[in-house]
Amino acid sequence: MSGGVAVEDLVVFVGDGAEAGGGAGGGAAAVAGGGVGPVLPMREAAVNVADLAVTRGDGVFESIGVIDGRFIELPRHLARLKHSSAMLDLPEPDVEAFERAARLALAAHAPQRELLVKLLHSRGIEGADRASGWVQVLAGTDHSAARSTGIRVVTLDRGYRHDIAQTSPWLLQGAKTLSYALNKAALREAARRDADDVIFVSTDDVVLEGPTSNVVVRHGDVFRTPRPDLGILAGTTQAAVFETLGALGFETAEAVITPAELATADGLWLLSSGRLLAPVRELDGRPLPVDADFTRTLLERTFGL
């Protein structure tokens, strides 16, 4: 890509051979060497078709919101990338190289109010013993309606007990893996039920998480989220919002929550890196209260929106 800024989505490869733009074997480059760049338009970037990210979904990723050029919770996302990689026994990602690549790509993208930066770390080509990695900068989706008026959500059975992370750690619950087919299937099921999103529950009636989000429930002045040891992804956005709630004088807690408690909530939100904070206005066809002013306060105080 020539100098200046690009209005299209961009990619930067990370690792050995990144300077060539296509990486080893004509695709994503090995991470071990710590190289970064150059910035490529998405339409020119190529990942090797033998990369295990493509053939098996064998890798991890992070999605990071960017508002007015500011990364949202970048250190937490980098730490989580390392944690997920360790859970999959992947080579440790060079998070400093990923950060450099993310900042390089963001600087090359045309300024927008909201963008989304993705960090992808793959096991690489099978048998090559070299991980691969790349960064994407994507135009942000307009989430204004979801944030202001709320979303419709259904609960779906995830098919296992709440203690799955302890009893079967090889199922990788709590890692942000590239294998997202089940999450996408759940969202399609929500659409079939005339809903926007999903909250997963365990077979023993414990609230877990959404396909791409964390759950926060309010009763009075107490805000709770499901405990991360329940086999769910620790939320970066949720952690940031809890810091704001604490500063505002509210009580926060990680807890075991039942679906019945969602139905009696004074407020219910799904939190994610792109959408940030979306109040739930309908759960399983029943209306829930939405405090639009309070949601707006949290968005302003936490993210500057």
Side-chain angles (χ1 to χ4, degrees), residues 5 13 15 18 28-29 34 41 47 76 101 121 136 147 152-153 168 177 184 199 236 254 270 293-294:
V5 296
F13 287 103
V47 174
R76 282 188 169 121
H121 181 53
Q136 300 173 342
R147 294 167 182 161
R152 301 162 301 170
V153 173
S168 306
T177 74
K184 290 297 187 180
I199 293 175
T236 57
E254 296 174 345
L270 293 187
D293 290 338
F294 186 70

Side-chain angles (χ1 to χ4, degrees), residues 11-24 27-40 46-47 51 78 81 92-105 118-122 130-136:
V11 173
V12 175
F13 287 103
V14 179
D16 293 338
E19 293 79 6
V31 171
V36 169
V39 180
L40 297 172
V47 174
D51 194 292
L78 293 171
L81 186 74
E92 182 176 338
D94 184 342
V95 294
E96 292 182 355
F98 270 104
E99 180 175 354
R100 290 198 306 273
R103 294 189 183 281
L104 178 67
K118 289 190 174 184
L119 317 179
L120 300 99
H121 181 53
S122 164
R130 296 201 314 173
S132 59
W134 59 98
V135 170
Q136 300 173 342

Side-chain angles (χ1 to χ4, degrees), residues 130-199:
R130 296 201 314 173
S132 59
W134 59 98
V135 170
Q136 300 173 342
V137 179
L138 311 170
T141 302
D142 182 4
H143 295 296
S144 56
R147 294 167 182 161
S148 60
T149 63
I151 56 176
R152 301 162 301 170
V153 173
V154 293
T155 54
L156 293 181
D157 188 342
R158 203 170 204 174
Y160 50 69
R161 288 173 47 87
H162 76 279
D163 57 357
I164 191 72
Q166 288 74 44
T167 62
S168 306
W170 52 87
L171 293 180
L172 302 177
Q173 298 306 309
K176 195 171 179 67
T177 74
L178 290 170
S179 182
Y180 249 50
L182 292 178
N183 288 333
K184 290 297 187 180
L187 291 171
R188 291 194 296 273
E189 179 61 25
R192 283 190 285 269
R193 301 186 186 198
D194 198 28
D196 307 304
D197 214 324
V198 169
I199 293 175

Side-chain angles (χ1 to χ4, degrees), residues 11-294:
V11 173
V12 175
F13 287 103
V14 179
D16 293 338
E19 293 79 6
V31 171
V36 169
V39 180
L40 297 172
M42 183 82 75
R43 56 186 165 77
E44 296 180 12
V47 174
N48 193 305
V49 295
D51 194 292
L52 287 167
V54 177
T55 60
R56 300 289 177 87
D58 191 5
V60 298
F61 78 103
E62 285 293 320
S63 297
I64 308 167
V66 175
I67 298 174
D68 293 332
R70 295 178 291 105
F71 286 100
I72 303 301
E73 298 299 314
L74 178 60
R76 282 188 169 121
H77 282 285
L78 293 171
R80 196 167 67 179
L81 186 74
K82 290 182 65 173
H83 176 71
S84 293
S85 298
M87 291 184 68
L88 270 68
D89 296 317
L90 291 170
E92 182 176 338
D94 184 342
V95 294
E96 292 182 355
F98 270 104
E99 180 175 354
R100 290 198 306 273
R103 294 189 183 281
L104 178 67
L106 181 60
H109 199 287
Q112 293 185 20
R113 182 74 197 278
E114 295 189 49
L115 292 166
L116 191 69
V117 173
K118 289 190 174 184
L119 317 179
L120 300 99
H121 181 53
S122 164
R123 200 176 301 277
I125 298 171
E126 191 161 12
D129 196 29
R130 296 201 314 173
S132 59
W134 59 98
V135 170
Q136 300 173 342
V137 179
L138 311 170
T141 302
D142 182 4
H143 295 296
S144 56
R147 294 167 182 161
S148 60
T149 63
I151 56 176
R152 301 162 301 170
V153 173
V154 293
T155 54
L156 293 181
D157 188 342
R158 203 170 204 174
Y160 50 69
R161 288 173 47 87
H162 76 279
D163 57 357
I164 191 72
Q166 288 74 44
T167 62
S168 306
W170 52 87
L171 293 180
L172 302 177
Q173 298 306 309
K176 195 171 179 67
T177 74
L178 290 170
S179 182
Y180 249 50
L182 292 178
N183 288 333
K184 290 297 187 180
L187 291 171
R188 291 194 296 273
E189 179 61 25
R192 283 190 285 269
R193 301 186 186 198
D194 198 28
D196 307 304
D197 214 324
V198 169
I199 293 175
F200 288 123
V201 298
S202 67
T203 56
D204 50 347
D205 216 31
V206 173
V207 173
L208 299 174
E209 61 187 345
T212 62
S213 60
N214 292 96
V215 178
V216 169
V217 58
R218 177 181 188 176
H219 287 93
D221 289 339
V222 179
F223 292 77
R224 296 180 298 155
T225 192
R227 293 191 332 227
D229 65 347
L230 299 176
I232 67 173
L233 190 69
T236 57
T237 306
Q238 170 266 314
V241 168
F242 268 28
E243 289 177 354
T244 299
L245 289 168
L248 292 172
F250 294 101
E251 180 181 348
T252 62
E254 296 174 345
V256 175
I257 302 169
T258 67
E261 292 177 284
L262 300 184
T264 62
D266 296 318
L268 180 63
W269 294 264
L270 293 187
L271 283 66
S272 58
S273 297
R275 197 167 53 193
L276 297 178
L277 191 64
V280 178
R281 61 180 171 88
E282 183 181 289
L283 181 67
D284 292 328
R286 298 185 179 91
L288 286 178
V290 170
D291 189 335
D293 290 338
F294 186 70

